[in-house]
Amino acid sequence: MMTREELTAVLGAPLGEAANDRELFAAAVEVRNRTVGDRVYLRGLIELSNRCRKNCLYCGIRRGHLGVERYELTDEQVLAAAERAWRSGYGSVVIQAGERTDGAFTERVERLVGRMKTLSNGELGITLSLGEQSRETYRRWFAAGVHRYLLRIETSSPELYARIHPADHDYDRRLECLRALREEGYQVGTGVMIGLPGQTVESLADDLLFFKALDIDMCGMGPYIEAPGTPLAAVEAPFSRAERLQLALRMIALLRLSMPDINIASTTALHALHPQGRELGVAAGANVMMPNLTPEAVRGDYKLYDNKPLQDMDLQGFNVALDNGWGDSRHFALRRLNVCVSAESQK
Ligand code: SF4
């Protein structure tokens, strides 16, 4: 693993000249191809609802953002999207929504997971991205058939976390959730925003060290993009949008070099800043993409940030893995194997 100083030096190299990063990206792609292969795995993204009990200062669907038309997909819409993913050979879906912890919601998710498993003969892999929940809820969803969970820390700096969230949002609680997910058996993913107001390249280097220390299985990170009408959008960011894109690509490449066998997403936020953003993410070492399967009528209402792409993803030109299982994290599989081997050797 590179040191904090080495990571900071790469991240802090002059921005603006794409040629500076060519060697870095080529090294990351070589490592990816050698460890997890050169194909891109797909997760069909289903944005279940934009209702949220939280009020993160950067988020376009935060509770206090009154201009947002709130929606909730019907069971039929969710199941139709899941079936489309399965029939298209995607292998798995991601269910994402604002955070809700009430019984009606958690039971509904549990029921929907069971129905998605049934309609696909157990073939569809299911990832959830539904925020902080009780251990009991994580346990029930896992038992229902979910096997991956994405919970972004957004920044590993407790001070910066406190600056971009209201006082009642708790960094330590989020860490607890990440640990609980691991203990309950999930493949665990997290991620950060890149280019936040108050963020430095040293802080981004710390984010990479944090991922390594947490031994994550997957990562979804992208450039910070202001969401109009949110408190954080009024605060000046330290990097231009073009610089944030470049920094995000450097972060992907550095993460691939330090954690070669995890799954890394080429996120929609990259595409929001560049028409070839997803391609650039893959060319920097990412190996996962998430085509949006949310019904088009409500896609515009799940607007976490400005300029979020709403059109269907064009998969032409990508070496995608279709009908090829869940595309699980190799890192997770190896860790499990090591646990089994060490348990056997102690018998
Ligand atoms: S970032 Fe997530 S938890 Fe925070 S307000 Fe937005 S949807 Fe809710």
Side-chain angles (χ1 to χ4, degrees), residues 139-277:
R139 191 171 291 164
R140 280 173 50 187
W141 287 346
F142 189 82
V146 181
H147 69 296
R148 295 192 285 240
Y149 204 101
L150 182 66
L151 181 65
R152 286 172 43 146
I153 190 84
E154 306 299 1
T155 169
S156 65
S157 157
E159 297 76 34
L160 184 54
Y161 190 93
R163 293 223 293 270
I164 63 171
H165 292 98
D168 61 347
H169 292 31
D170 185 355
Y171 177 87
D172 290 331
R173 164 86 184 120
R174 188 151 283 234
L175 278 187
E176 261 171 42
C177 287
L178 285 164
R179 287 195 200 101
L181 287 162
R182 164 64 47 76
E183 286 164 13
E184 293 304 323
Y186 287 88
Q187 292 174 48
V188 179
T190 190
V192 294
M193 285 184 283
I194 295 153
L196 285 161
Q199 200 174 37
T200 61
V201 288
E202 286 79 6
S203 175
L204 290 170
D206 288 338
D207 292 339
L208 292 167
L209 296 170
F210 171 88
F211 297 149
K212 183 83 176 173
L214 207 63
D215 200 24
I216 60 169
D217 302 305
M218 42 195 207
C219 185
M221 58 183 171
Y224 163 66
I225 305 174
E226 294 86 346
T230 58
L232 207 66
V235 183
E236 199 179 335
F239 303 100
S240 71
R241 288 190 172 190
E243 289 171 339
R244 288 176 231 169
L245 174 69
Q246 195 174 358
L247 275 173
L249 297 172
R250 286 182 186 175
M251 287 286 283
I252 288 174
L254 288 169
L255 181 59
R256 175 60 68 198
L257 292 174
S258 60
M259 302 189 77
D261 56 1
I262 67 169
N263 281 339
I264 303 177
S266 183
T267 55
T268 312
L270 296 169
H271 185 69
L273 292 192
H274 191 290
Q276 266 85 48

Side-chain angles (χ1 to χ4, degrees), residues 113-126 144-145 326:
V113 168
R115 291 182 69 185
M116 283 187 268
K117 284 287 178 191
T118 303
L119 75 81
S120 66
N121 305 322
E123 288 176 13
L124 199 58
I126 300 173
W326 294 348

Side-chain angles (χ1 to χ4, degrees), residues 41-43 89-92 123 125 148 321-328:
Y41 284 84
L42 303 176
R43 285 83 170 90
Y90 286 7
S92 63
E123 288 176 13
R148 295 192 285 240
L322 292 177
D323 295 316
N324 199 45
W326 294 348
D328 275 346

Side-chain angles (χ1 to χ4, degrees), residues 52 54-56 58-59 61-63 97-99 174 304:
C52 188
K54 290 272 192 74
N55 225 355
C56 306
Y58 47 83
C59 179
I61 62 168
R62 64 197 297 268
R63 188 185 69 227
E99 189 174 298
R174 188 151 283 234
L304 301 177

